[in-house]
Amino acid sequence: MIFRFLQFRRFSHRLFVLFVGLLGAALATTYFVVTSTNESNARENARANLELAARLVDSAIKQRIEFLVGSAKVMTGDYAFKQTFSDGDARTLSSALVSFTGRVGAPVITLYDPDGKLLANSDHAMDNENAGPFAFLIQQATEKDLTQHSGFSYLKGQLHVLVVVPFYAPYPNIFGWFGLAFPLDREFVGKISAISGVELTYVNVEDPDQPRVLATTLPVAGTAPTARAAAAAKRAREARELRPETEMVALPEERYVTLIRFQEMLAEDYIALVLQRPPTELASARDLENAIKLTSLLALAVATLLVLFIARSVSQPVVALVGHTQRIARGDYVVRNQDYRADELGRLSLAFDDMARGLAERDRVRDLLDKNVSPEVAAALLRDGAILGGQEREVTILFADLRGFTTLSEKLTPQELLTLLNRYLDRMSAAIEAHGGVIDKFIGDAIMALFGAPVAQADAADRALAAALAMEKALVQLNAELAAEGIAPLAIGVGVNTARVVAGNIGSARRLNYSVIGDGVNVASRLQSLTRTADYRTNVITSAATLAALREPTKFTARPLGTVPVKGRAEPVEIFAVE
Amino acid sequence: MPRFLLSLSFALLLTAARLTAAAVVQVHVTDAKQSSVADAVVSLIPLDAAPVFTPSTTPVVVAQQGQEFEPYVTVIVPGTRVNFPNQDNIRHQVYSLSKTKPFEIPLYGPGTEQSLLFERPGIVALGCNIHDWMAAYIVIVATPYYLKTATDGMARLVDLPPGRYRLEVWHPRLSGEANREVTIAAGDTAQQSITVILKPDRRIRRAPDGAGGGYK
């Protein structure tokens, strides 16, 4: 099917499709491979950056926790505080905790008894309900005998990292617990973002239909698609679907490489930490892609021009050759190609010209042949080649002779004589050929013609006699013309005989002549000379053999003239005048 | 005195002696790995009669020595006075936030001594506010029958009148409680094995001795 499309009417089209198609395919493949490699490299780079930022977040949180733990330890070391704690005056304790928030920089500091019961806090809004996550941590730490514990939870609806630190009096007697917390808010993600260059967003994905952004570094417009991406990731995670490590999320300005991490919470459902990076890594890849695109188009354009040039350089000589061939077919051999190039086409042109020359030569030969031998003989010669040899066949031979030519020659100049003779021969030849006769040869003013050779003719005898009568008629016409020119009339004698003769190419190896030989030829010649006999009163004499060979004898009137002896023949020949 | 009378009275005496003869309880304290536990406080609290005990007339000493309390665990009965002599060349503070006996002895100098009276039974964890690694326990038991296990985990309680007791074991790292009721017959030598579950040893590793130790 496709090959039908690939069958071109023009070579240049084929070359164009092949060359430009291959180049285009190669370039497209290169482009695809390079861009996909670049893209995956860039994404891998971006992923590494995002992973690093994720670790930075973990590390920052861990450091903050360590700092709070350390601070808590220092605070508990304060004996005045121990005493205050031991006295159990909640209001004094709470005010002391407020002073600690200033020292430590933790916005939330709470105190619990060893069982996790809230004793005091730095924030009056922090009720027992909000203290729940701390109590949970304390319970876990007690069960697991931990010296500190931390976790993610909401405090007053805000995402916080909670830390619980026991205080000892003395170590390892746990006398109470410090509960400290710091929010994962805009300020926190902003700091990490400033260091890592990564956009950070905490998303509450408890209800994937209504993801809620908790803290983000993104401008407002970018939060909605980010929250949706986090929700989708949560759904995929819960469906245990395989997710790519990073994905592309379309924010208003551009597509961001996005990494989503999930963070366990103390009691609530986990939250998503979305790390995003504008695809700066992709920028260089895009540059390369554009460069390749441009180069490819340029290469294709150059290739197209090149192909057209090559195609033209190939097809033009071919088109010229086609034209020449058509002219040669019409018989015009003179055209010649101009410049012969060194390549195959040049050789083809050269060969073509040789061929044209050969054809011209052949045509010339054939023309000459046509003039020198009859067209039938020429055709047979060209067909069968000049073969010496012969075949015996029945042929009707016609001999015609101009009577009184010798007297005529004395009155005319040689030029005039030849002109007159040719004029005469031309008319006679026309009459013979019109009846399918073949001029065998001119012998001076005499004509020898064959009927039934070299091409066999069933009605050769009929044709010969008809030709003889036509010659007479043609001569009457010629004489009328000559009379007008003041030239004496001409007279002819025609002898027609039918006999089995040998036909073939007769001559030397260098020069051949198609002719017939045999007794019948002499008889025909003899019959012709008999027309001079005045008693016979006829210009055309034929033999009984010819009359016998006639297919339609009724068309001719044969007047018997008796028998005549013929030289070289024992039997006399019966002759007839044809009128 | 007829011979049989003599025999009879001897037999009665013997019987009486047997009836009132003091028993011995040998307690072996092991941990979950069957290792002997030292510094475990073993006490037998009489259940049949109110225990009678008298505080020691000579003060019990918990010294500050080499920036440690010595001994680590001290067992006393209520009403005992404990002296805290500072035998170091630096100052120390002693405090406890325990409910049994919350107190603070502010910093006091080398060579001096402070003392406190412990009146209520319970456990008092001692600390020094300026040396976090310093910790000691005073265990106040309301019974005359108590003892600290030695390194072999053994505590041999003697002179026990027969009767029902609650055998209590306490250790600074004890997880939960360890006690059982035991009945002691006169003149018995009872073996008691108690397995306790201990929390990991979490004593603060003492900071390298920077305050002079390096120049000794």
Side-chain angles (χ1 to χ4, degrees), chain A residues 76-80 82-83 85-86 144-147 167-173 175, chain B residues 93 95-98 102-104 125-127 129 132 134-137 199-200 202-204:
Chain A
T76 53
D78 179 10
Y79 187 75
K82 274 181 187 153
Q83 230 173 4
F85 186 89
S86 151
K144 295 179 189 165
D145 199 25
L146 304 172
T147 56
F167 81 86
Y168 303 103
Y171 190 92
N173 298 283
F175 205 69
Chain B
Q93 189 249 23
Y95 77 91
S96 176
L97 300 185
S98 55
F103 69 90
E104 186 209 358
L126 301 179
N129 200 49
D132 283 352
M134 286 176 68
Y137 296 89
K199 290 188 240 180
R202 274 266 179 69
R203 276 201 264 184
I204 296 177

mmCIF file of all heavy atoms in Angstrom, chain A residues 76-80 82-83 85-86 144-147 167-173 175, chain B residues 93 95-98 102-104 125-127 129 132 134-137 199-200 202-204:
data_model
loop_
_atom_site.group_PDB
_atom_site.id
_atom_site.type_symbol
_atom_site.label_atom_id
_atom_site.label_comp_id
_atom_site.label_asym_id
_atom_site.label_seq_id
_atom_site.Cartn_x
_atom_site.Cartn_y
_atom_site.Cartn_z
ATOM 1 N N THR A 76 14.755 23.582 83.852
ATOM 2 C CA THR A 76 14.437 22.743 85.013
ATOM 3 C C THR A 76 15.579 22.754 86.017
ATOM 4 O O THR A 76 15.401 22.433 87.181
ATOM 5 C CB THR A 76 14.146 21.289 84.613
ATOM 6 O OG1 THR A 76 15.238 20.814 83.827
ATOM 7 C CG2 THR A 76 12.872 21.193 83.837
ATOM 8 N N GLY A 77 16.748 23.074 85.525
ATOM 9 C CA GLY A 77 17.904 23.128 86.419
ATOM 10 C C GLY A 77 17.842 24.303 87.393
ATOM 11 O O GLY A 77 18.558 24.346 88.394
ATOM 12 N N ASP A 78 16.967 25.225 87.038
ATOM 13 C CA ASP A 78 16.828 26.415 87.886
ATOM 14 C C ASP A 78 16.090 26.020 89.167
ATOM 15 O O ASP A 78 14.942 25.599 89.140
ATOM 16 C CB ASP A 78 16.054 27.464 87.067
ATOM 17 C CG ASP A 78 15.817 28.737 87.858
ATOM 18 O OD1 ASP A 78 16.410 28.863 88.939
ATOM 19 O OD2 ASP A 78 15.040 29.573 87.377
ATOM 20 N N TYR A 79 16.761 26.129 90.314
ATOM 21 C CA TYR A 79 16.150 25.640 91.557
ATOM 22 C C TYR A 79 14.922 26.445 91.939
ATOM 23 O O TYR A 79 13.928 25.899 92.405
ATOM 24 C CB TYR A 79 17.149 25.626 92.723
ATOM 25 C CG TYR A 79 16.490 24.966 93.889
ATOM 26 C CD1 TYR A 79 16.326 23.568 93.890
ATOM 27 C CD2 TYR A 79 15.941 25.691 94.938
ATOM 28 C CE1 TYR A 79 15.650 22.944 94.905
ATOM 29 C CE2 TYR A 79 15.252 25.069 95.953
ATOM 30 C CZ TYR A 79 15.121 23.686 95.943
ATOM 31 O OH TYR A 79 14.431 23.069 96.931
ATOM 32 N N ALA A 80 15.007 27.750 91.634
ATOM 33 C CA ALA A 80 13.851 28.600 91.947
ATOM 34 C C ALA A 80 12.626 28.054 91.239
ATOM 35 O O ALA A 80 11.525 28.016 91.787
ATOM 36 C CB ALA A 80 14.127 30.026 91.504
ATOM 37 N N LYS A 82 12.215 24.939 90.310
ATOM 38 C CA LYS A 82 11.863 23.671 90.947
ATOM 39 C C LYS A 82 10.969 23.919 92.142
ATOM 40 O O LYS A 82 9.967 23.241 92.361
ATOM 41 C CB LYS A 82 13.129 22.942 91.402
ATOM 42 C CG LYS A 82 13.746 22.099 90.307
ATOM 43 C CD LYS A 82 14.979 21.392 90.826
ATOM 44 C CE LYS A 82 15.700 20.674 89.700
ATOM 45 N NZ LYS A 82 17.127 20.532 89.963
ATOM 46 N N GLN A 83 11.362 24.930 92.849
ATOM 47 C CA GLN A 83 10.629 25.256 94.059
ATOM 48 C C GLN A 83 9.220 25.724 93.720
ATOM 49 O O GLN A 83 8.246 25.283 94.331
ATOM 50 C CB GLN A 83 11.360 26.380 94.794
ATOM 51 C CG GLN A 83 11.555 26.037 96.237
ATOM 52 C CD GLN A 83 12.425 27.061 96.923
ATOM 53 O OE1 GLN A 83 12.830 28.068 96.358
ATOM 54 N NE2 GLN A 83 12.711 26.792 98.191
ATOM 55 N N PHE A 85 7.597 25.007 91.099
ATOM 56 C CA PHE A 85 6.871 23.848 90.617
ATOM 57 C C PHE A 85 6.371 23.008 91.784
ATOM 58 O O PHE A 85 5.225 22.579 91.823
ATOM 59 C CB PHE A 85 7.794 23.014 89.717
ATOM 60 C CG PHE A 85 7.084 21.877 89.056
ATOM 61 C CD1 PHE A 85 6.467 22.074 87.820
ATOM 62 C CD2 PHE A 85 7.030 20.635 89.653
ATOM 63 C CE1 PHE A 85 5.807 21.028 87.219
ATOM 64 C CE2 PHE A 85 6.358 19.589 89.052
ATOM 65 C CZ PHE A 85 5.746 19.774 87.812
ATOM 66 N N SER A 86 7.279 22.820 92.714
ATOM 67 C CA SER A 86 6.985 21.975 93.864
ATOM 68 C C SER A 86 5.877 22.593 94.711
ATOM 69 O O SER A 86 5.033 21.893 95.255
ATOM 70 C CB SER A 86 8.272 21.776 94.643
ATOM 71 O OG SER A 86 7.992 21.577 95.986
ATOM 72 N N LYS A 144 7.332 4.096 76.760
ATOM 73 C CA LYS A 144 8.539 3.649 76.065
ATOM 74 C C LYS A 144 9.792 4.054 76.803
ATOM 75 O O LYS A 144 10.901 3.837 76.305
ATOM 76 C CB LYS A 144 8.571 4.223 74.647
ATOM 77 C CG LYS A 144 7.450 3.694 73.775
ATOM 78 C CD LYS A 144 7.523 4.327 72.400
ATOM 79 C CE LYS A 144 6.290 3.984 71.580
ATOM 80 N NZ LYS A 144 6.180 4.860 70.407
ATOM 81 N N ASP A 145 9.598 4.701 77.986
ATOM 82 C CA ASP A 145 10.731 5.121 78.799
ATOM 83 C C ASP A 145 11.683 6.007 78.008
ATOM 84 O O ASP A 145 12.891 5.766 77.933
ATOM 85 C CB ASP A 145 11.456 3.870 79.338
ATOM 86 C CG ASP A 145 12.324 4.218 80.526
ATOM 87 O OD1 ASP A 145 12.012 5.214 81.198
ATOM 88 O OD2 ASP A 145 13.311 3.504 80.758
ATOM 89 N N LEU A 146 11.088 7.022 77.352
ATOM 90 C CA LEU A 146 11.892 7.931 76.535
ATOM 91 C C LEU A 146 12.303 9.140 77.352
ATOM 92 O O LEU A 146 11.577 9.563 78.255
ATOM 93 C CB LEU A 146 11.092 8.412 75.319
ATOM 94 C CG LEU A 146 10.525 7.325 74.409
ATOM 95 C CD1 LEU A 146 9.608 7.939 73.361
ATOM 96 C CD2 LEU A 146 11.653 6.562 73.733
ATOM 97 N N THR A 147 13.468 9.681 77.053
ATOM 98 C CA THR A 147 13.910 10.868 77.782
ATOM 99 C C THR A 147 13.435 12.146 77.096
ATOM 100 O O THR A 147 13.604 13.232 77.623
ATOM 101 C CB THR A 147 15.442 10.909 77.883
ATOM 102 O OG1 THR A 147 15.966 10.851 76.554
ATOM 103 C CG2 THR A 147 15.980 9.748 78.680
ATOM 104 N N PHE A 167 11.189 16.604 83.514
ATOM 105 C CA PHE A 167 12.235 17.173 84.358
ATOM 106 C C PHE A 167 12.382 16.352 85.624
ATOM 107 O O PHE A 167 11.446 15.770 86.124
ATOM 108 C CB PHE A 167 12.106 18.678 84.520
ATOM 109 C CG PHE A 167 11.125 19.166 85.522
ATOM 110 C CD1 PHE A 167 11.506 19.306 86.855
ATOM 111 C CD2 PHE A 167 9.863 19.524 85.143
ATOM 112 C CE1 PHE A 167 10.619 19.802 87.766
ATOM 113 C CE2 PHE A 167 8.974 20.011 86.051
ATOM 114 C CZ PHE A 167 9.335 20.157 87.392
ATOM 115 N N TYR A 168 13.601 16.257 85.988
ATOM 116 C CA TYR A 168 14.016 15.287 86.989
ATOM 117 C C TYR A 168 14.352 16.000 88.289
ATOM 118 O O TYR A 168 14.902 17.086 88.279
ATOM 119 C CB TYR A 168 15.269 14.537 86.519
ATOM 120 C CG TYR A 168 15.087 13.834 85.209
ATOM 121 C CD1 TYR A 168 15.604 14.368 84.043
ATOM 122 C CD2 TYR A 168 14.425 12.604 85.154
ATOM 123 C CE1 TYR A 168 15.471 13.708 82.841
ATOM 124 C CE2 TYR A 168 14.282 11.941 83.948
ATOM 125 C CZ TYR A 168 14.805 12.493 82.786
ATOM 126 O OH TYR A 168 14.666 11.836 81.609
ATOM 127 N N ALA A 169 14.039 15.322 89.390
ATOM 128 C CA ALA A 169 14.441 15.903 90.670
ATOM 129 C C ALA A 169 14.797 14.790 91.626
ATOM 130 O O ALA A 169 13.924 14.329 92.345
ATOM 131 C CB ALA A 169 13.323 16.755 91.236
ATOM 132 N N PRO A 170 15.987 14.353 91.689
ATOM 133 C CA PRO A 170 17.001 14.557 90.652
ATOM 134 C C PRO A 170 16.854 13.475 89.599
ATOM 135 O O PRO A 170 15.980 12.637 89.701
ATOM 136 C CB PRO A 170 18.296 14.374 91.438
ATOM 137 C CG PRO A 170 17.941 13.302 92.432
ATOM 138 C CD PRO A 170 16.494 13.522 92.782
ATOM 139 N N TYR A 171 17.704 13.505 88.646
ATOM 140 C CA TYR A 171 17.727 12.495 87.607
ATOM 141 C C TYR A 171 17.945 11.139 88.236
ATOM 142 O O TYR A 171 18.771 11.010 89.124
ATOM 143 C CB TYR A 171 18.854 12.801 86.612
ATOM 144 C CG TYR A 171 18.800 11.949 85.384
ATOM 145 C CD1 TYR A 171 18.100 12.397 84.256
ATOM 146 C CD2 TYR A 171 19.423 10.712 85.328
ATOM 147 C CE1 TYR A 171 18.036 11.612 83.137
ATOM 148 C CE2 TYR A 171 19.353 9.926 84.203
ATOM 149 C CZ TYR A 171 18.655 10.375 83.105
ATOM 150 O OH TYR A 171 18.582 9.594 81.987
ATOM 151 N N PRO A 172 17.295 10.080 87.808
ATOM 152 C CA PRO A 172 16.295 9.994 86.746
ATOM 153 C C PRO A 172 14.865 10.011 87.266
ATOM 154 O O PRO A 172 14.003 9.396 86.663
ATOM 155 C CB PRO A 172 16.635 8.664 86.110
ATOM 156 C CG PRO A 172 17.107 7.815 87.255
ATOM 157 C CD PRO A 172 17.648 8.736 88.307
ATOM 158 N N ASN A 173 14.617 10.678 88.390
ATOM 159 C CA ASN A 173 13.265 10.736 88.921
ATOM 160 C C ASN A 173 12.451 11.792 88.196
ATOM 161 O O ASN A 173 12.734 12.991 88.303
ATOM 162 C CB ASN A 173 13.300 11.072 90.406
ATOM 163 C CG ASN A 173 14.029 10.001 91.175
ATOM 164 O OD1 ASN A 173 13.493 8.933 91.424
ATOM 165 N ND2 ASN A 173 15.295 10.284 91.504
ATOM 166 N N PHE A 175 9.773 14.209 87.590
ATOM 167 C CA PHE A 175 8.968 14.976 88.518
ATOM 168 C C PHE A 175 7.854 15.732 87.807
ATOM 169 O O PHE A 175 6.894 16.176 88.398
ATOM 170 C CB PHE A 175 9.887 15.964 89.248
ATOM 171 C CG PHE A 175 9.350 16.358 90.578
ATOM 172 C CD1 PHE A 175 9.298 15.410 91.611
ATOM 173 C CD2 PHE A 175 8.868 17.635 90.805
ATOM 174 C CE1 PHE A 175 8.787 15.761 92.845
ATOM 175 C CE2 PHE A 175 8.358 17.977 92.044
ATOM 176 C CZ PHE A 175 8.304 17.038 93.071
ATOM 177 N N GLN B 93 24.716 21.620 97.379
ATOM 178 C CA GLN B 93 23.365 21.939 97.788
ATOM 179 C C GLN B 93 22.662 20.607 97.885
ATOM 180 O O GLN B 93 23.030 19.656 97.180
ATOM 181 C CB GLN B 93 22.726 22.835 96.709
ATOM 182 C CG GLN B 93 21.390 23.457 97.052
ATOM 183 C CD GLN B 93 20.249 22.874 96.219
ATOM 184 O OE1 GLN B 93 20.345 21.761 95.707
ATOM 185 N NE2 GLN B 93 19.164 23.605 96.136
ATOM 186 N N TYR B 95 18.697 18.946 97.865
ATOM 187 C CA TYR B 95 17.264 19.225 97.813
ATOM 188 C C TYR B 95 16.506 17.956 97.567
ATOM 189 O O TYR B 95 17.069 16.950 97.105
ATOM 190 C CB TYR B 95 16.945 20.240 96.720
ATOM 191 C CG TYR B 95 16.947 19.647 95.327
ATOM 192 C CD1 TYR B 95 15.774 19.128 94.780
ATOM 193 C CD2 TYR B 95 18.118 19.611 94.575
ATOM 194 C CE1 TYR B 95 15.774 18.575 93.505
ATOM 195 C CE2 TYR B 95 18.131 19.066 93.322
ATOM 196 C CZ TYR B 95 16.957 18.539 92.774
ATOM 197 O OH TYR B 95 16.972 18.001 91.536
ATOM 198 N N SER B 96 15.224 18.047 97.857
ATOM 199 C CA SER B 96 14.314 16.986 97.434
ATOM 200 C C SER B 96 12.959 17.622 97.182
ATOM 201 O O SER B 96 12.507 18.495 97.927
ATOM 202 C CB SER B 96 14.184 15.900 98.497
ATOM 203 O OG SER B 96 13.230 14.963 98.048
ATOM 204 N N LEU B 97 12.362 17.228 96.070
ATOM 205 C CA LEU B 97 11.017 17.698 95.776
ATOM 206 C C LEU B 97 10.000 16.602 96.081
ATOM 207 O O LEU B 97 8.847 16.687 95.707
ATOM 208 C CB LEU B 97 10.894 18.126 94.314
ATOM 209 C CG LEU B 97 11.815 19.256 93.836
ATOM 210 C CD1 LEU B 97 11.473 19.643 92.413
ATOM 211 C CD2 LEU B 97 11.706 20.485 94.744
ATOM 212 N N SER B 98 10.505 15.543 96.792
ATOM 213 C CA SER B 98 9.605 14.426 97.075
ATOM 214 C C SER B 98 8.496 14.854 98.024
ATOM 215 O O SER B 98 8.653 15.764 98.828
ATOM 216 C CB SER B 98 10.404 13.270 97.694
ATOM 217 O OG SER B 98 11.092 13.750 98.820
ATOM 218 N N PRO B 102 9.875 17.346 101.139
ATOM 219 C CA PRO B 102 10.480 18.361 100.282
ATOM 220 C C PRO B 102 11.327 19.302 101.124
ATOM 221 O O PRO B 102 10.867 19.743 102.180
ATOM 222 C CB PRO B 102 9.269 19.085 99.679
ATOM 223 C CG PRO B 102 8.092 18.690 100.493
ATOM 224 C CD PRO B 102 8.466 17.589 101.440
ATOM 225 N N PHE B 103 12.539 19.538 100.650
ATOM 226 C CA PHE B 103 13.399 20.436 101.434
ATOM 227 C C PHE B 103 14.489 20.969 100.548
ATOM 228 O O PHE B 103 14.717 20.478 99.431
ATOM 229 C CB PHE B 103 14.017 19.694 102.629
ATOM 230 C CG PHE B 103 15.046 18.657 102.230
ATOM 231 C CD1 PHE B 103 16.403 18.999 102.119
ATOM 232 C CD2 PHE B 103 14.659 17.338 101.966
ATOM 233 C CE1 PHE B 103 17.336 18.046 101.740
ATOM 234 C CE2 PHE B 103 15.604 16.402 101.586
ATOM 235 C CZ PHE B 103 16.942 16.734 101.466
ATOM 236 N N GLU B 104 15.144 21.993 101.037
ATOM 237 C CA GLU B 104 16.343 22.468 100.361
ATOM 238 C C GLU B 104 17.343 22.895 101.405
ATOM 239 O O GLU B 104 17.008 23.640 102.333
ATOM 240 C CB GLU B 104 16.034 23.672 99.467
ATOM 241 C CG GLU B 104 17.265 24.077 98.659
ATOM 242 C CD GLU B 104 17.309 25.560 98.304
ATOM 243 O OE1 GLU B 104 16.365 26.276 98.659
ATOM 244 O OE2 GLU B 104 18.298 25.987 97.683
ATOM 245 N N ALA B 125 13.993 11.277 97.199
ATOM 246 C CA ALA B 125 15.084 11.328 96.210
ATOM 247 C C ALA B 125 15.867 12.595 96.473
ATOM 248 O O ALA B 125 15.306 13.697 96.493
ATOM 249 C CB ALA B 125 14.509 11.331 94.806
ATOM 250 N N LEU B 126 17.169 12.429 96.666
ATOM 251 C CA LEU B 126 18.021 13.572 96.958
ATOM 252 C C LEU B 126 18.743 14.012 95.690
ATOM 253 O O LEU B 126 19.153 13.189 94.879
ATOM 254 C CB LEU B 126 19.080 13.204 97.996
ATOM 255 C CG LEU B 126 18.611 12.701 99.344
ATOM 256 C CD1 LEU B 126 19.839 12.370 100.190
ATOM 257 C CD2 LEU B 126 17.756 13.764 100.038
ATOM 258 N N GLY B 127 18.886 15.321 95.572
ATOM 259 C CA GLY B 127 19.665 15.834 94.463
ATOM 260 C C GLY B 127 20.484 17.008 94.915
ATOM 261 O O GLY B 127 20.281 17.552 95.992
ATOM 262 N N ASN B 129 21.459 20.610 93.276
ATOM 263 C CA ASN B 129 21.007 21.421 92.153
ATOM 264 C C ASN B 129 22.142 21.874 91.259
ATOM 265 O O ASN B 129 21.922 22.197 90.105
ATOM 266 C CB ASN B 129 20.227 22.624 92.651
ATOM 267 C CG ASN B 129 19.341 23.195 91.554
ATOM 268 O OD1 ASN B 129 18.616 22.441 90.913
ATOM 269 N ND2 ASN B 129 19.428 24.491 91.343
ATOM 270 N N ASP B 132 24.116 17.792 88.513
ATOM 271 C CA ASP B 132 22.972 16.993 88.089
ATOM 272 C C ASP B 132 23.173 15.497 88.282
ATOM 273 O O ASP B 132 22.219 14.737 88.401
ATOM 274 C CB ASP B 132 22.659 17.253 86.609
ATOM 275 C CG ASP B 132 21.947 18.579 86.409
ATOM 276 O OD1 ASP B 132 21.567 19.208 87.426
ATOM 277 O OD2 ASP B 132 21.777 18.988 85.245
ATOM 278 N N MET B 134 24.544 14.038 90.766
ATOM 279 C CA MET B 134 24.494 13.595 92.161
ATOM 280 C C MET B 134 23.062 13.224 92.524
ATOM 281 O O MET B 134 22.141 14.023 92.388
ATOM 282 C CB MET B 134 24.993 14.692 93.108
ATOM 283 C CG MET B 134 26.499 14.870 93.059
ATOM 284 S SD MET B 134 27.080 16.233 94.076
ATOM 285 C CE MET B 134 26.738 15.622 95.711
ATOM 286 N N ALA B 135 22.883 11.977 92.892
ATOM 287 C CA ALA B 135 21.544 11.519 93.279
ATOM 288 C C ALA B 135 21.687 10.453 94.353
ATOM 289 O O ALA B 135 22.672 9.697 94.360
ATOM 290 C CB ALA B 135 20.806 10.962 92.070
ATOM 291 N N ALA B 136 20.752 10.446 95.308
ATOM 292 C CA ALA B 136 20.757 9.415 96.345
ATOM 293 C C ALA B 136 19.330 9.253 96.845
ATOM 294 O O ALA B 136 18.467 10.086 96.551
ATOM 295 C CB ALA B 136 21.680 9.803 97.499
ATOM 296 N N TYR B 137 19.098 8.160 97.539
ATOM 297 C CA TYR B 137 17.745 7.890 98.026
ATOM 298 C C TYR B 137 17.781 7.591 99.507
ATOM 299 O O TYR B 137 18.664 6.874 99.974
ATOM 300 C CB TYR B 137 17.138 6.699 97.277
ATOM 301 C CG TYR B 137 16.973 6.984 95.808
ATOM 302 C CD1 TYR B 137 18.012 6.706 94.920
ATOM 303 C CD2 TYR B 137 15.801 7.555 95.319
ATOM 304 C CE1 TYR B 137 17.885 6.971 93.584
ATOM 305 C CE2 TYR B 137 15.668 7.822 93.973
ATOM 306 C CZ TYR B 137 16.696 7.538 93.100
ATOM 307 O OH TYR B 137 16.573 7.817 91.777
ATOM 308 N N LYS B 199 14.065 -0.749 85.510
ATOM 309 C CA LYS B 199 14.221 0.119 84.345
ATOM 310 C C LYS B 199 15.703 0.190 83.997
ATOM 311 O O LYS B 199 16.560 -0.113 84.831
ATOM 312 C CB LYS B 199 13.708 1.532 84.686
ATOM 313 C CG LYS B 199 12.200 1.584 84.845
ATOM 314 C CD LYS B 199 11.730 3.009 84.995
ATOM 315 C CE LYS B 199 11.030 3.180 86.327
ATOM 316 N NZ LYS B 199 10.550 4.548 86.553
ATOM 317 N N PRO B 200 15.997 0.572 82.754
ATOM 318 C CA PRO B 200 17.417 0.669 82.387
ATOM 319 C C PRO B 200 18.144 1.650 83.308
ATOM 320 O O PRO B 200 17.540 2.613 83.783
ATOM 321 C CB PRO B 200 17.386 1.210 80.954
ATOM 322 C CG PRO B 200 15.977 1.245 80.519
ATOM 323 C CD PRO B 200 15.088 0.966 81.685
ATOM 324 N N ARG B 202 19.883 4.592 84.199
ATOM 325 C CA ARG B 202 19.909 5.865 83.484
ATOM 326 C C ARG B 202 20.642 6.927 84.288
ATOM 327 O O ARG B 202 20.342 8.098 84.179
ATOM 328 C CB ARG B 202 18.457 6.333 83.257
ATOM 329 C CG ARG B 202 17.853 5.753 82.020
ATOM 330 C CD ARG B 202 18.036 6.714 80.847
ATOM 331 N NE ARG B 202 17.459 6.128 79.652
ATOM 332 C CZ ARG B 202 16.157 5.959 79.488
ATOM 333 N NH1 ARG B 202 15.327 6.360 80.426
ATOM 334 N NH2 ARG B 202 15.706 5.409 78.387
ATOM 335 N N ARG B 203 21.606 6.528 85.058
ATOM 336 C CA ARG B 203 22.299 7.562 85.836
ATOM 337 C C ARG B 203 23.110 8.433 84.910
ATOM 338 O O ARG B 203 23.688 7.959 83.929
ATOM 339 C CB ARG B 203 23.186 6.909 86.901
ATOM 340 C CG ARG B 203 22.352 6.587 88.127
ATOM 341 C CD ARG B 203 23.204 6.441 89.336
ATOM 342 N NE ARG B 203 23.502 5.021 89.542
ATOM 343 C CZ ARG B 203 24.182 4.600 90.615
ATOM 344 N NH1 ARG B 203 24.615 5.452 91.518
ATOM 345 N NH2 ARG B 203 24.417 3.331 90.766
ATOM 346 N N ILE B 204 23.134 9.718 85.167
ATOM 347 C CA ILE B 204 23.858 10.644 84.294
ATOM 348 C C ILE B 204 25.328 10.311 84.349
ATOM 349 O O ILE B 204 25.908 10.124 85.428
ATOM 350 C CB ILE B 204 23.650 12.105 84.749
ATOM 351 C CG1 ILE B 204 22.179 12.473 84.594
ATOM 352 C CG2 ILE B 204 24.529 13.052 83.942
ATOM 353 C CD1 ILE B 204 21.854 13.862 85.073
#
